[in-house]
C-alpha cells in the first residue's frame, strides 16, 4: 500500500477507467510497466507507509516500570488506563495530579523493518503531533528535537534505521519547566489574562487551555498526540491537491486546480506525468508532463478546468443550494513509480466584506457572491485530552450544530487545530469554519527561534486545511489586541521596552501569519485578531467583530443585548449548570469541609467538587445575581433547581442576543455565541455539555436560527414581531393575547412576507392598545404565529413581565401517550394551563429530547422524541416533567 491506500494491484484497473480512455497519453507509463512485467519489472508505488501506532510503552524518567501507551494519546490517559491514577476529570484532582506535568516522560516502541524498505531513496519518520518538548532517538541516535505541539515533524532516518529490529524513544520534558526556561531567557515578561501561576504558557507552542482556563482544569499533559509513521519512498509523491481559485462565467465555473508534489530525485525521467479527473465526470480529465528538478524537491503544477453547469458548494442557511462536493483524483507517474491522491473539493468563493458605511464599517461574509447571515458558536476541544475524541465525537458535534441550524463554527485559538475529520464533516454539512491560529490571551515572545517555529507551524496548518471549502477565515489570535489595548498590559513595561513588545506582536500577526496565508492560501480572508475592539469601546458596535461581555463580565442586564448590537458578534454568553446526570458525573473523590474524603455526587454549590468544576472565580455568584433580577433563586442545596433555572436564564438571556442579531441583519453580519461545547464535565457557558447533552440554550438557538423564524419581543410597554427567513416567504401573521388558562383576549392578523435579505418588522403595538382594559400583564402571554402559503406554521411567544413576576398557575401537565419507536420513545404531552419552560427528563439517565425547555399553551399538545443514552426498563415510568411552576 502507498500512503494514500492504493495497492499496486489496482494499477491495471486504471487502463479500463473511462476517464483514462479519453486521455491515452496518461496511460503510457502504466502500459509500459505492464508490458515489462513479464520481464520481471513491475510498477511500484512511490510511497510505502508503515503506521507506528501499536506497541508503545511509557514510563516516567524516575520510574523503571513501563506501562502500555496509546498512540495517539496522552500520558494522563495512559496512566488512567493503567490504573495508576484516578480519572482526572472527576472529583477535585488538579492538586493531586499536578506532579504529572513536572515529570519527564519517555515513550518507547520496538518495531521491525522489512529490508526492502531500506532500498527506497527516502526514509523518514513522520510525527503528526508531539506534545510538546520532545527529544527523539532511533536505535540510540538522536534524530529530532521538537518544541511545537502544532507542527508536523519529519526526520531523515537513513543511517539510523536498520533492517529487522529497531528501538524508537521519545522523551518529553516537563512543559512548564521548559516554558520557564524560555521565559527566563527572554528580555521581557509576558502577561496573561488567564491565571497561570508559573507564567510560562506563552513560551510553549502548546494548547493554552492545558494550563487552565475559566471553564477548564489545569492538566498540562504530554504525549504523542497524533499519528506516527515510517515513510519509505522513491520517485514522486503527491502532497496536496486543491482548488486554488474559482471564477463563474455564466453557468460554467473556471476552476484553477493546484497540485503539489515532491520528487526524491531518483526518477527514470526528468519529468512527471500528472493527471487529474473527476470520477463522476463533472469535468474533463487533464494530463500534462511537468518538469522535475534533477536533485529532487518540491514540484508544483496548476491547471485550469472548465466545469459546465457547475454545482456550487453552498453553506447551510444560504437558501440557494446544498454543500455539493466533487470527488477528484490526481495521478502522478514518473518512470516506474506512481502515486495517487483522492480529495473532495467544493466549488465556491468566500469573501469577508469590510466596507465603510453610514454606521462605521461592515463585517459580513459573501459566499458565491451572495451575502450570508452567519449563525453559530465557538468551538473548544471536545475533550481536555484531545486525542481521546474520536471521529464519532466530531460527527456528533457537527450534527448537533447542523441540527441547530448553524452555518459557522469558530475554532478558538486557545485550543488545538482540529483533526481532518472535523473539517471533512464541516464540508459535508455546509458549516463554515472560522479558524483561529492557536494564540489566545497572551502576548508573544519576539525571539527568532519562536517566530521561526510559528512560521513553520502556520505553513503546516495552512497547507493541511486550505483544501476545505468550509474554511472561511483565518484569524491570527484571540483577544491579544484587546488585552494590549484594554487590560492594562502596557503598564507592565518600561517605555523603552514597549516598542519591542509591539514589534513582536506585529511580526507574528501582521507579517508572519498574514504572509503565510497570502502565500499559501491567498484567496482566503485573514484578520490579525478577534475582536477588533474591546467591548467597552464604542467602536466595538460600529466596526469589526465584537466580543460583547457587558452581560456577564460587566453585569449589565440581559436586555442590554437588544441595545448594544455589533457588526458581527464573535463572542458573548452566559453560564449555566449542565444536566443533573452530568453533575452526578462530577462525583467521586473531593475534600469535605472537615478535611475528610467525600465521595459520590455533589449535593450543594458549596460542595468542593462543585467548586472544582466551576472555574470562574465568581461564577455561581454571577448566576445568582442574574437569577435574582428576573427568576426565582433556589437554595444552594437544590442543585436540580439550579440546573433547571440557570439553563432557562441562559437560554432566554443569550436568546435575546441571538434574536437581536438576526433581526439586525444585514447591519449585523453574524452571531457566534460562547460556547458550543465543553472539554470536561463543568459549569460553563456551553450549550452542549461534555457528554453531548443539550442545554436549553442549544434548543433556543435551534429556534432562532431556523430557516423561517418568528421573533417576538416585549419591552418598554411595546410588543413587536419580526419574521426572518433564509429565502423569500409569504404568509399570514396572527398575534393573539392569551390568558394562562387558555382564553383569547385579543387577536389581530397581518398579511406579510419576508424577502430573505433582512428580517422584516411585521407587527408593532403598545401594550396598552394590545391588551383589553383591566388585563393583568402578569397573567397573559402573546403568541405570534406565522403561517406560510404552503401551510407551515412558525411560532414564538412573548411575556410582558420577567419570569419571576408571572402569575403562573399549576399547569396540569401530563404525558398523554408514550410509544416505542426505532430510535427512541415518541412522547405526547399536554397541559391544561400555560406551562412555562417544559422540561422532560428520565430519572437517573441521560436522554436526548428532540424539543425541550419550551412553553406549552393551554390545551395544546407537543410530540417529542426521547432517546435514552442507555437501555432503561419500563422507561415511561421514569419520565419526569417540570416547569417553572411545578405541577
Amino acid at each position: 500500500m502507498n500512503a494514500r491506500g492504493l495497492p499496486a494491484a489496482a494499477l491495471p484497473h486504471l487502463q479500463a477507467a473511462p476517464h483514462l480512455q479519453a486521455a491515452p497519453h496518461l496511460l503510457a507509463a502504466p502500459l509500459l510497466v505492464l508490458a515489462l512485467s513479464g520481464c520481471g519489472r513491475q510498477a511500484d508505488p512511490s510511497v510505502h507507509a508503515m503506521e507506528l501506532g501499536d506497541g508503545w510503552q511509557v514510563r516516567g524518567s524516575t520510574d523503571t516500570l513501563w506501562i502500555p501507551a496509546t498512540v495517539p494519546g496522552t500520558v494522563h490517559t495512559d496512566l488512567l488506563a493503567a490504573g495508576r491514577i484516578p480519572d482526572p476529570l472527576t472529583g477535585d484532582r488538579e492538586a493531586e495530579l499536578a506532579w504529572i506535568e513536572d515529570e519527564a516522560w519517555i515513550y518507547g516502541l520496538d518495531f521491525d523493518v522489512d529490508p526492502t524498505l531500506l532500498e527506497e531513496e527516502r526514509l523518514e519518520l513522520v510525527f503528526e503531533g508531539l506534545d510538546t518538548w520532545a527529544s527523539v532517538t532511533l536505535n540510540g541516535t538522536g534524530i529530532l528535537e521538537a518544541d511545537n505541539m502544532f507542527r508536523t515533524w519529519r526526520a531523515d532516518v537513513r543511517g539510523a534505521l536498520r533492517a529487522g529490529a529497531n528501538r524508537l524513544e521519545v522523551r518529553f520534558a516537563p512543559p512548564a519547566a521548559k516554558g520557564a526556561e524560555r521565559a527566563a531567557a527572554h528580555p521581557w515578561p509576558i502577561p496573561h489574562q488567564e491565571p497561570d501561576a508559573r507564567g510560562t504558557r506563552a513560551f510553549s507552542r502548546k494548547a493554552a487551555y492545558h494550563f487552565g482556563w475559566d471553564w477548564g482544569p489545569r492538566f498540562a499533559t504530554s504525549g504523542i498526540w497524533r499519528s506516527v509513521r515510517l515513510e519509505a519512498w522513491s520517485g514522486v509523491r503527491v502532497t496536496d491537491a486543491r482548488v486554488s481559485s474559482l471564477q463563474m462565467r455564466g453557468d460554467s465555473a473556471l476552476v484553477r486546480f493546484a497540485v503539489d508534489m515532491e520528487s526524491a530525485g531518483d526518477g527514470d525521467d526528468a519529468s512527471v506525468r500528472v493527471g487529474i479527473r473527476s470520477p463522476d465526470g463533472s469535468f474533463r480529465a487533464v494530463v500534462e508532463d511537468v518538469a522535475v528538478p534533477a536533485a529532487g524537491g518540491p514540484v508544483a503544477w496548476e491547471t485550469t478546468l472548465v466545469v459546465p453547469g457547475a454545482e456550487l458548494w453552498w453553506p447551510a442557511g444560504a437558501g440557494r443550494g446544498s454543500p455539493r462536493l466533487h470527488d477528484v483524483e490526481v495521478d502522478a507517474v514518473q518512470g516506474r513509480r506512481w502515486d495517487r491522491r483522492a480529495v473532495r473539493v467544493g466549488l465556491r468563493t468566500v469573501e469577508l466584506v469590510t466596507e465603510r458605511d453610514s454606521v462605521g464599517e461592515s463585517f459580513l461574509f459573501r459566499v458565491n457572491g451572495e451575502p450570508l447571515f452567519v449563525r453559530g458558536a465557538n468551538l473548544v476541544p471536545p475533550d481536555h485530552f484531545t486525542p481521546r475524541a474520536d471521529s464519532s465525537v466530531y460527527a456528533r458535534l457537527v450534527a448537533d450544530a447542523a441540527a441547530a441550524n448553524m452555518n459557522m463554527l469558530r475554532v478558538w485559538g486557545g485550543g488545538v487545530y482540529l483533526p481532518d475529520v472535523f473539517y471533512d464533516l464541516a464540508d459535508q454539512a455546509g458549516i463554515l469554519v472560522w479558524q483561529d491560529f492557536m494564540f489566545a490571551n497572551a502576548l508573544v515572545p519576539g525571539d527568532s527561534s519562536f517566530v521561526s517555529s510559528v512560521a513553520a507551524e502556520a505553513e503546516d496548518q495552512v497547507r493541511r486545511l486550505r483544501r476545505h471549502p468550509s474554511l472561511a477565515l483565518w484569524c491570527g489570535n484571540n483577544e491579544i489586541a484587546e488585552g494590549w489595548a484594554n487590560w492594562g498590559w502596557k503598564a507592565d513595561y518600561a517605555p523603552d521596552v514597549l516598542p519591542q513588545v509591539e514589534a513582536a506582536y506585529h511580526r507574528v500577526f501582521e507579517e508572519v501569519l498574514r504572509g503565510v496565508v497570502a502565500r499559501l492560501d491567498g484567496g482566503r480572508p485573514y484578520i490579525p485578531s478577534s475582536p477588533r475592539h474591546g467591548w467597552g469601546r464604542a467602536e466595538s458596535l460600529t466596526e469589526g467583530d465584537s466580543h460583547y461581555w457587558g452581560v456577564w463580565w460587566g453585569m449589565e442586564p440581559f436586555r442590554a443585548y437588544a441595545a448594544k448590537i455589533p457588526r458581527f458578534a464573535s463572542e458573548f454568553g452566559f453560564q449555566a449548570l449542565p444536566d443533573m446526570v452530568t453533575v452526578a458525573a462530577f462525583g467521586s473523590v473531593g475534600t469535605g469541609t472537615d478535611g475528610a474524603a467525600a465521595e459520590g455526587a455533589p449535593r450543594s454549590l458549596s460542595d468542593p467538587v462543585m467548586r472544582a468544576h466551576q472555574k470562574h472565580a465568581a461564577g455561581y455568584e454571577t448566576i445568582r445575581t442574574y437569577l435574582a433580577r428576573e427568576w426565582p433563586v433556589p437554595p444552594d442545596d437544590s442543585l436540580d433547581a439550579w440546573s433547571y433555572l440557570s439553563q432557562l436564564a441562559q437560554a432566554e438571556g443569550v436568546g435575546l442576543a441571538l434574536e437581536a442579531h438576526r433581526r439586525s441583519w444585514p447591519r449585523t453580519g453574524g452571531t457566534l455565541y460562547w460556547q458550543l461545547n465543553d472539554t470536561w464535565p463543568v459549569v460553563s457557558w456551553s450549550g452542549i455539555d461534555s457528554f453531548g447533552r443539550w442545554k436549553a440554550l442549544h434548543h433556543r438557538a435551534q429556534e432562532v436560527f431556523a430557516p423561517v423564524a418568528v421573533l417576538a419581543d416585549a419591552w418598554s410597554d411595546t410588543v413587536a414581531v419580526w419574521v426572518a427567513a433564509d429565502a423569500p416567504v409569504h404568509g399570514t401573521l396572527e398575534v393573539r393575547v392569551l390568558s394562562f388558562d387558555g382564553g383569547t383576549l385579543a387577536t389581530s392578523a397581518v398579511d406579510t412576507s419576508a424577502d430573505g435579505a433582512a428580517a422584516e418588522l411585521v407587527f408593532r403595538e403598545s401594550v396598552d392598545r394590545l391588551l383589553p382594559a383591566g388585563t393583568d400583564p402578569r397573567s397573559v402571554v402573546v403568541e405570534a404565529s406565522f403561517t406560510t402559503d404552503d401551510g407551515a406554521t412558525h411560532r414564538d411567544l412573548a411575556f410582558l413581565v420577567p419570569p419571576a413576576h408571572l402569575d403562573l398557575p399549576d399547569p396540569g401537565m401530563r404525558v398523554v401517550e408514550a410509544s416505542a419507536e426505532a430510535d427512541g420513545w415518541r412522547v405526547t404531552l399536554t397541559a391544561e394551563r400555560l406551562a412555562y419552560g417544559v422540561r422532560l427528563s428520565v430519572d437517573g439517565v441521560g436522554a436526548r429530547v428532540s424539543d425541550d425547555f419550551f412553553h406549552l399553551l393551554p390545551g395544546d399538545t407537543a410530540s417529542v422524541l426521547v432517546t435514552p443514552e442507555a437501555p432503561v426498563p419500563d422507561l415511561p415510568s421514569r419520565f419526569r416533567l417540570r416547569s417553572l411552576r411545578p405541577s
Side-chain angles (χ1 to χ4, degrees):
M1 300 285 285
N2 76 342
R4 282 87 195 166
L6 182 68
L11 192 60
H13 176 68
L14 294 179
Q15 300 172 71
H19 70 288
L20 291 180
Q21 291 175 356
H25 46 303
L26 179 61
L27 298 178
L31 284 173
L32 177 61
V33 171
L34 293 173
L36 293 175
S37 62
C39 302
R41 295 191 62 190
Q42 294 184 3
D44 294 326
S46 296
V47 183
H48 301 269
M50 179 180 177
E51 298 296 331
L52 300 178
D54 296 330
W56 286 88
Q57 294 181 308
V58 62
R59 67 175 177 86
S61 61
T62 58
D63 196 351
T64 58
L65 177 64
W66 291 92
I67 62 173
T70 297
V71 172
T74 72
V75 67
H76 282 77
T77 47
D78 289 335
L79 292 168
L80 175 62
R84 298 281 294 274
I85 62 171
D87 187 345
L89 304 188
T90 63
D92 179 6
R93 297 207 164 98
E94 285 175 87
E96 176 188 352
L97 301 180
W99 62 272
I100 298 173
E101 74 170 76
D102 295 324
E103 176 66 274
W105 295 97
I106 303 168
Y107 281 74
L109 174 69
D110 294 308
F111 65 100
D112 291 333
V113 171
D114 189 303
T116 59
L117 288 185
L118 275 63
E119 299 173 4
E120 300 294 338
E121 184 71 15
R122 300 285 184 91
L123 296 172
E124 293 179 329
L125 262 176
V126 183
F127 292 89
E128 297 286 354
L130 293 169
D131 181 13
T132 292
W133 304 87
S135 298
V136 184
T137 61
L138 178 61
N139 299 321
T141 299
I143 59 170
L144 178 64
E145 294 290 328
D147 63 355
N148 189 321
M149 176 182 181
F150 306 122
R151 288 185 59 183
T152 296
W153 297 93
R154 290 180 173 269
D156 183 352
V157 293
R158 183 169 296 283
L161 190 69
R162 303 169 183 163
N166 288 265
R167 174 68 178 178
L168 179 62
E169 289 193 353
V170 184
R171 182 186 181 100
F172 291 97
K178 289 297 292 186
E181 180 183 309
R182 284 281 185 97
H186 198 262
W188 62 78
I190 292 184
H192 308 79
Q193 180 204 15
E194 303 301 330
D196 177 6
R198 309 183 190 196
T200 63
R201 69 172 173 84
F203 294 90
S204 292
R205 291 308 299 143
K206 175 177 174 60
Y209 81 100
H210 283 176
F211 295 97
W213 218 264
D214 58 6
W215 41 259
R218 178 176 178 131
F219 292 114
T221 194
S222 298
I224 304 171
W225 77 290
R226 285 190 168 157
S227 62
V228 187
R229 64 184 178 274
L230 174 66
E231 286 188 357
W233 66 283
S234 301
V236 67
R237 62 180 179 182
V238 181
T239 57
D240 193 19
R242 68 198 184 281
V243 172
S244 61
S245 67
L246 171 73
Q247 293 181 351
M248 295 301 301
R249 295 183 177 177
D251 291 335
S252 295
L254 195 65
V255 181
R256 191 71 174 164
F257 204 89
V259 176
D260 292 333
M261 297 164 284
E262 187 176 7
S263 170
D266 66 336
D268 298 333
D269 299 328
S271 65
V272 57
R273 180 152 291 178
V274 188
I276 178 174
R277 71 169 189 122
S278 57
D280 64 1
S282 58
F283 53 84
R284 66 181 181 83
V286 175
V287 182
E288 290 183 7
D289 288 322
V290 182
V292 173
V299 180
W301 176 63
E302 288 197 358
T303 187
T304 300
L305 308 172
V306 177
V307 183
E311 294 183 70
L312 300 181
W313 185 94
W314 289 96
R320 293 180 178 272
S322 64
R324 173 72 161 92
L325 295 170
H326 300 264
D327 292 315
V328 175
E329 292 179 356
V330 176
D331 292 289
V333 179
Q334 185 184 32
R336 63 186 184 89
R337 296 284 185 167
W338 56 269
D339 197 15
R340 168 177 288 184
R341 169 157 292 202
V343 295
R344 304 190 78 190
V345 301
L347 306 181
R348 65 100 184 93
T349 61
V350 62
E351 307 164 76
L352 175 62
V353 182
T354 54
E355 298 174 341
R356 300 303 300 180
D357 57 24
S358 60
V359 177
E361 186 176 281
S362 66
F363 192 105
L364 61 85
F365 288 88
R366 284 196 194 119
V367 179
N368 300 325
E370 299 293 335
L372 176 76
F373 178 71
V374 165
R375 50 210 186 217
N378 287 258
L379 186 69
V380 300
D383 194 307
H384 185 87
F385 305 113
T386 314
R388 194 161 58 176
D390 61 16
S391 59
S392 68
V393 172
Y394 291 101
R396 174 182 54 76
L397 278 173
V398 172
D400 284 347
N405 301 302
M406 296 181 179
N407 59 24
M408 180 179 278
L409 293 174
R410 176 186 175 219
V411 179
W412 170 74
V416 298
Y417 304 96
L418 296 178
D420 291 337
V421 65
F422 165 73
Y423 302 93
D424 289 338
L425 290 164
D427 291 345
Q428 295 167 29
I431 294 180
L432 295 167
V433 177
W434 169 316
Q435 178 68 56
D436 282 5
F437 285 98
M438 291 301 115
F439 296 88
N441 303 69
L443 291 169
V444 290
D447 59 281
S448 58
S449 62
F450 180 87
V451 174
S452 296
S453 182
V454 168
E457 165 194 327
E459 290 204 7
D460 282 351
Q461 298 300 335
V462 171
R463 289 182 187 278
R464 180 173 73 95
L465 300 180
R466 62 187 175 180
R467 70 173 177 85
H468 292 281
S470 58
L471 184 61
L473 175 74
W474 291 102
C475 175
N477 69 73
N478 176 76
E479 296 185 345
I480 301 179
E482 180 177 3
W484 183 246
N486 300 326
W487 297 345
W489 290 354
K490 294 180 183 179
D492 292 345
Y493 300 109
D496 61 328
V497 178
L498 282 173
Q500 299 177 62
V501 180
E502 291 176 334
Y505 177 92
H506 188 275
R507 185 178 181 192
V508 169
F509 300 110
E510 294 289 358
E511 296 177 9
V512 172
L513 296 183
R514 186 186 293 278
V516 169
V517 171
R519 177 166 51 87
L520 299 179
D521 196 21
R524 206 95 53 176
Y526 171 84
I527 60 173
S529 187
S530 177
R532 183 168 175 181
H533 302 288
W535 61 265
R537 294 174 176 263
E539 299 93 333
S540 70
L541 302 180
T542 61
E543 59 185 41
D545 72 308
S546 172
H547 294 190
Y548 178 66
W549 286 107
V551 174
W552 185 266
W553 287 99
M555 301 302 291
E556 297 176 8
F558 284 133
R559 179 52 60 179
Y561 281 137
K564 298 184 177 181
I565 303 174
R567 306 308 301 268
F568 190 102
S570 48
E571 269 195 33
F572 57 96
F574 189 83
Q575 278 196 353
L577 275 68
D579 185 276
M580 283 304 297
V581 179
T582 301
V583 171
F586 290 3
S588 200
V589 179
T591 304
T593 54
D594 59 356
E599 297 192 14
R603 293 174 291 278
S604 168
L605 293 183
S606 60
D607 187 294
V609 172
M610 288 302 294
R611 292 200 301 269
H613 289 253
Q614 164 60 276
K615 290 301 180 181
H616 188 282
Y620 291 132
E621 290 73 16
T622 302
I623 297 172
R624 189 195 314 276
T625 297
Y626 277 86
L627 287 180
R629 292 173 180 173
E630 299 185 16
W631 301 82
V633 179
D636 286 2
D637 62 355
S638 181
L639 291 183
D640 187 42
W642 268 91
S643 171
Y644 172 73
L645 287 166
S646 66
Q647 288 195 44
L648 276 181
Q650 181 193 40
E652 297 205 9
V654 176
L656 274 173
L658 302 181
E659 292 177 24
H661 299 158
R662 188 166 191 191
R663 66 183 183 233
S664 296
W665 166 255
R667 181 195 183 279
T668 297
T671 182
L672 305 173
Y673 63 80
W674 186 267
Q675 66 207 70
L676 180 73
N677 64 315
D678 284 322
T679 64
W680 71 315
V682 66
V683 178
S684 82
W685 294 265
S686 72
I688 304 174
D689 74 23
S690 61
F691 291 96
R693 296 165 186 147
W694 289 20
K695 296 182 186 176
L697 171 58
H698 203 72
H699 289 282
R700 185 57 184 154
Q702 183 180 50
E703 294 170 350
V704 178
F705 292 162
V708 178
V710 177
L711 310 174
D713 197 12
W715 81 103
S716 300
D717 298 324
T718 300
V719 173
V721 180
W722 290 259
V723 173
D726 293 341
V729 63
H730 180 269
T732 301
L733 176 75
E734 183 179 35
V735 178
R736 296 194 299 162
V737 180
L738 305 174
S739 65
F740 289 166
D741 62 4
T744 299
L745 305 180
T747 185
S748 60
V750 180
D751 183 76
T752 190
S753 62
D755 63 7
E760 298 288 341
L761 177 62
V762 296
F763 180 88
R764 183 184 180 102
E765 188 61 88
S766 69
V767 172
D768 287 343
R769 291 175 59 88
L770 189 63
L771 296 187
T775 302
D776 186 347
R778 298 175 302 169
S779 60
V780 298
V781 58
V782 178
E783 178 198 34
S785 295
F786 178 59
T787 302
T788 60
D789 292 345
D790 63 4
T793 298
H794 311 271
R795 188 180 72 177
D796 197 20
L797 303 180
F799 294 88
L800 305 181
V801 298
H805 299 157
L806 292 172
D807 187 15
L808 292 171
D810 182 331
M813 286 189 300
R814 70 181 190 278
V815 174
V816 176
E817 183 180 5
S819 57
E821 296 186 358
D823 50 356
W825 282 75
R826 176 63 57 183
V827 180
T828 302
L829 314 173
T830 191
E832 297 175 8
R833 290 162 290 279
L834 177 81
Y836 188 109
V838 176
R839 168 82 166 112
L840 173 62
S841 59
V842 180
D843 273 340
V845 177
R848 171 69 62 87
V849 182
S850 59
D851 191 12
D852 216 359
F853 294 95
F854 57 89
H855 308 316
L856 190 56
L857 292 177
D860 279 2
T861 60
S863 176
V864 300
L865 181 67
V866 180
T867 307
E869 296 171 6
V872 179
D874 194 21
L875 181 70
S877 68
R878 300 177 68 172
F879 289 153
R880 180 184 176 192
L881 285 172
R882 76 174 301 162
S883 69
L884 190 59
R885 168 71 183 268
S887 297

